[in-house]
Amino acid sequence: MTNPTLNHPTASGHQVLAAAGKKYLRPGGRIATEQLFQWANFHPGETVLELASSFGYSAIALAQRYHVKVLGIEKDPESVACARANIRAAGLENQVEIIEGDIFHLDKIPGQFDYVLAEAILTMQSPPGKAKVLKEIYHHLKPGGKFLSHELLARNKEAEIHADLARVIRVNSTPLSEANWIAALATAGLQVQQHLTSSMNLLNLRRMIQEEGILNALRIFWNILTQPSIRKRVLEMRHVFHKYHHELGYIIMCAVAE
């Protein structure tokens, strides 16, 4: 479903991809998210705080499969409305709630959770921004609670990649190396217990068909082909991803609040 009100030349990269119809916008795709869920070892009735819930797909999957309770926070009001509609359609109003809010104001959310889930969120923040959000994540976890993280990885050339990504994605995208991600979490009191890195396939044709399904993949291709403003942005992003094919990847981490 495209958004006719979105300004494609200035919108963030994930908004443009969503406007093209892409549902899965994480750097490691569904495979990486599935691995995070396995590491988490959820139990029925446990609580999850999800940052930047987007359209609610991950929150719904968690509630359906693991019978946990999910509170999601999402800044974009249109995404919040879409997520709430998806939750109603799934009949999960008693298990999943999405509220409109900013990840930099997590102090307004009361209580602590068994898990905090953040996918492709910290990458978009500056180093001070990462530190601020991670500090709040730590405070919102119960002692021994788990932080489940899924982010963009820069194996090297961090500064160069940051400059090119910020230009084409239109946000302050700052991926880190494996060591720097683990250190950033440790500084906030989050000790990484398990982690995995691999190649980033966000715009890989084969992976897109696998994750989106043939019909939705065809819709995405059609929207890209027929809408020049979307096509221009997607090709810019794809060029940068290809340029740094050997350097760009994803990292998933399961960290415990000490």
PDB file of all heavy atoms in Angstrom, residues 165-179:
ATOM      1  N   LEU A 165      25.513   6.548   3.597  1.00  0.00           N
ATOM      2  CA  LEU A 165      24.177   6.118   4.005  1.00  0.00           C
ATOM      3  C   LEU A 165      23.310   7.305   4.417  1.00  0.00           C
ATOM      4  O   LEU A 165      22.128   7.370   4.065  1.00  0.00           O
ATOM      5  CB  LEU A 165      24.272   5.132   5.173  1.00  0.00           C
ATOM      6  CG  LEU A 165      24.647   3.696   4.837  1.00  0.00           C
ATOM      7  CD1 LEU A 165      24.733   2.877   6.116  1.00  0.00           C
ATOM      8  CD2 LEU A 165      23.649   3.066   3.881  1.00  0.00           C
ATOM      9  N   ALA A 166      23.900   8.245   5.160  1.00  0.00           N
ATOM     10  CA  ALA A 166      23.133   9.425   5.581  1.00  0.00           C
ATOM     11  C   ALA A 166      22.626  10.196   4.362  1.00  0.00           C
ATOM     12  O   ALA A 166      21.512  10.735   4.377  1.00  0.00           O
ATOM     13  CB  ALA A 166      23.992  10.323   6.468  1.00  0.00           C
ATOM     14  N   ARG A 167      23.412  10.210   3.302  1.00  0.00           N
ATOM     15  CA  ARG A 167      23.016  10.932   2.095  1.00  0.00           C
ATOM     16  C   ARG A 167      21.841  10.264   1.397  1.00  0.00           C
ATOM     17  O   ARG A 167      20.901  10.948   0.963  1.00  0.00           O
ATOM     18  CB  ARG A 167      24.216  11.018   1.139  1.00  0.00           C
ATOM     19  CG  ARG A 167      23.901  11.628  -0.219  1.00  0.00           C
ATOM     20  CD  ARG A 167      25.165  11.771  -1.050  1.00  0.00           C
ATOM     21  NE  ARG A 167      25.902  10.518  -1.155  1.00  0.00           N
ATOM     22  CZ  ARG A 167      25.594   9.558  -2.027  1.00  0.00           C
ATOM     23  NH1 ARG A 167      24.566   9.692  -2.848  1.00  0.00           N
ATOM     24  NH2 ARG A 167      26.322   8.448  -2.083  1.00  0.00           N
ATOM     25  N   VAL A 168      21.839   8.946   1.284  1.00  0.00           N
ATOM     26  CA  VAL A 168      20.783   8.279   0.506  1.00  0.00           C
ATOM     27  C   VAL A 168      19.585   7.863   1.350  1.00  0.00           C
ATOM     28  O   VAL A 168      18.473   7.750   0.826  1.00  0.00           O
ATOM     29  CB  VAL A 168      21.336   7.047  -0.247  1.00  0.00           C
ATOM     30  CG1 VAL A 168      22.420   7.467  -1.218  1.00  0.00           C
ATOM     31  CG2 VAL A 168      21.817   5.970   0.703  1.00  0.00           C
ATOM     32  N   ILE A 169      19.793   7.663   2.653  1.00  0.00           N
ATOM     33  CA  ILE A 169      18.682   7.247   3.505  1.00  0.00           C
ATOM     34  C   ILE A 169      17.995   8.447   4.152  1.00  0.00           C
ATOM     35  O   ILE A 169      16.863   8.351   4.611  1.00  0.00           O
ATOM     36  CB  ILE A 169      19.175   6.245   4.573  1.00  0.00           C
ATOM     37  CG1 ILE A 169      19.687   4.963   3.887  1.00  0.00           C
ATOM     38  CG2 ILE A 169      18.068   5.860   5.541  1.00  0.00           C
ATOM     39  CD1 ILE A 169      20.196   3.914   4.843  1.00  0.00           C
ATOM     40  N   ARG A 170      18.688   9.591   4.174  1.00  0.00           N
ATOM     41  CA  ARG A 170      18.130  10.844   4.695  1.00  0.00           C
ATOM     42  C   ARG A 170      17.957  10.837   6.215  1.00  0.00           C
ATOM     43  O   ARG A 170      17.168  11.613   6.741  1.00  0.00           O
ATOM     44  CB  ARG A 170      16.786  11.191   4.050  1.00  0.00           C
ATOM     45  CG  ARG A 170      16.753  11.147   2.531  1.00  0.00           C
ATOM     46  CD  ARG A 170      17.464  12.317   1.878  1.00  0.00           C
ATOM     47  NE  ARG A 170      17.071  12.437   0.476  1.00  0.00           N
ATOM     48  CZ  ARG A 170      17.706  11.860  -0.548  1.00  0.00           C
ATOM     49  NH1 ARG A 170      18.789  11.123  -0.314  1.00  0.00           N
ATOM     50  NH2 ARG A 170      17.280  12.032  -1.786  1.00  0.00           N
ATOM     51  N   VAL A 171      18.663   9.963   6.894  1.00  0.00           N
ATOM     52  CA  VAL A 171      18.710   9.988   8.353  1.00  0.00           C
ATOM     53  C   VAL A 171      20.160   9.765   8.763  1.00  0.00           C
ATOM     54  O   VAL A 171      20.996   9.357   7.955  1.00  0.00           O
ATOM     55  CB  VAL A 171      17.808   8.909   8.997  1.00  0.00           C
ATOM     56  CG1 VAL A 171      16.341   9.183   8.730  1.00  0.00           C
ATOM     57  CG2 VAL A 171      18.184   7.522   8.522  1.00  0.00           C
ATOM     58  N   ASN A 172      20.435  10.018  10.040  1.00  0.00           N
ATOM     59  CA  ASN A 172      21.809   9.947  10.525  1.00  0.00           C
ATOM     60  C   ASN A 172      22.215   8.496  10.793  1.00  0.00           C
ATOM     61  O   ASN A 172      22.468   8.084  11.915  1.00  0.00           O
ATOM     62  CB  ASN A 172      21.933  10.784  11.800  1.00  0.00           C
ATOM     63  CG  ASN A 172      23.370  10.911  12.264  1.00  0.00           C
ATOM     64  OD1 ASN A 172      24.301  10.879  11.454  1.00  0.00           O
ATOM     65  ND2 ASN A 172      23.564  11.033  13.553  1.00  0.00           N
ATOM     66  N   SER A 173      22.266   7.710   9.727  1.00  0.00           N
ATOM     67  CA  SER A 173      22.551   6.288   9.850  1.00  0.00           C
ATOM     68  C   SER A 173      24.022   6.066  10.201  1.00  0.00           C
ATOM     69  O   SER A 173      24.910   6.423   9.427  1.00  0.00           O
ATOM     70  CB  SER A 173      22.203   5.572   8.535  1.00  0.00           C
ATOM     71  OG  SER A 173      22.427   4.197   8.647  1.00  0.00           O
ATOM     72  N   THR A 174      24.252   5.480  11.379  1.00  0.00           N
ATOM     73  CA  THR A 174      25.615   5.305  11.874  1.00  0.00           C
ATOM     74  C   THR A 174      25.832   3.872  12.338  1.00  0.00           C
ATOM     75  O   THR A 174      25.802   3.574  13.536  1.00  0.00           O
ATOM     76  CB  THR A 174      25.890   6.286  13.040  1.00  0.00           C
ATOM     77  OG1 THR A 174      25.434   7.588  12.699  1.00  0.00           O
ATOM     78  CG2 THR A 174      27.379   6.345  13.351  1.00  0.00           C
ATOM     79  N   PRO A 175      26.043   2.938  11.401  1.00  0.00           N
ATOM     80  CA  PRO A 175      26.327   1.560  11.813  1.00  0.00           C
ATOM     81  C   PRO A 175      27.708   1.468  12.457  1.00  0.00           C
ATOM     82  O   PRO A 175      28.602   2.271  12.179  1.00  0.00           O
ATOM     83  CB  PRO A 175      26.273   0.787  10.491  1.00  0.00           C
ATOM     84  CG  PRO A 175      26.594   1.798   9.440  1.00  0.00           C
ATOM     85  CD  PRO A 175      26.040   3.102   9.941  1.00  0.00           C
ATOM     86  N   LEU A 176      27.872   0.490  13.324  1.00  0.00           N
ATOM     87  CA  LEU A 176      29.130   0.283  14.029  1.00  0.00           C
ATOM     88  C   LEU A 176      29.723  -1.071  13.668  1.00  0.00           C
ATOM     89  O   LEU A 176      29.054  -1.928  13.090  1.00  0.00           O
ATOM     90  CB  LEU A 176      28.904   0.352  15.540  1.00  0.00           C
ATOM     91  CG  LEU A 176      28.285   1.619  16.107  1.00  0.00           C
ATOM     92  CD1 LEU A 176      28.084   1.473  17.616  1.00  0.00           C
ATOM     93  CD2 LEU A 176      29.133   2.843  15.794  1.00  0.00           C
ATOM     94  N   SER A 177      30.972  -1.250  14.051  1.00  0.00           N
ATOM     95  CA  SER A 177      31.606  -2.562  13.905  1.00  0.00           C
ATOM     96  C   SER A 177      31.083  -3.491  14.995  1.00  0.00           C
ATOM     97  O   SER A 177      30.443  -3.068  15.964  1.00  0.00           O
ATOM     98  CB  SER A 177      33.123  -2.421  14.036  1.00  0.00           C
ATOM     99  OG  SER A 177      33.472  -2.043  15.362  1.00  0.00           O
ATOM    100  N   GLU A 178      31.376  -4.773  14.850  1.00  0.00           N
ATOM    101  CA  GLU A 178      30.956  -5.765  15.841  1.00  0.00           C
ATOM    102  C   GLU A 178      31.457  -5.397  17.233  1.00  0.00           C
ATOM    103  O   GLU A 178      30.688  -5.381  18.209  1.00  0.00           O
ATOM    104  CB  GLU A 178      31.486  -7.135  15.419  1.00  0.00           C
ATOM    105  CG  GLU A 178      31.170  -8.266  16.365  1.00  0.00           C
ATOM    106  CD  GLU A 178      31.728  -9.600  15.860  1.00  0.00           C
ATOM    107  OE1 GLU A 178      32.091  -9.697  14.675  1.00  0.00           O
ATOM    108  OE2 GLU A 178      31.796 -10.538  16.675  1.00  0.00           O
ATOM    109  N   ALA A 179      32.738  -5.075  17.336  1.00  0.00           N
ATOM    110  CA  ALA A 179      33.324  -4.747  18.635  1.00  0.00           C
ATOM    111  C   ALA A 179      32.706  -3.486  19.225  1.00  0.00           C
ATOM    112  O   ALA A 179      32.444  -3.411  20.434  1.00  0.00           O
ATOM    113  CB  ALA A 179      34.833  -4.578  18.498  1.00  0.00           C
TER     114      ALA A 179
END
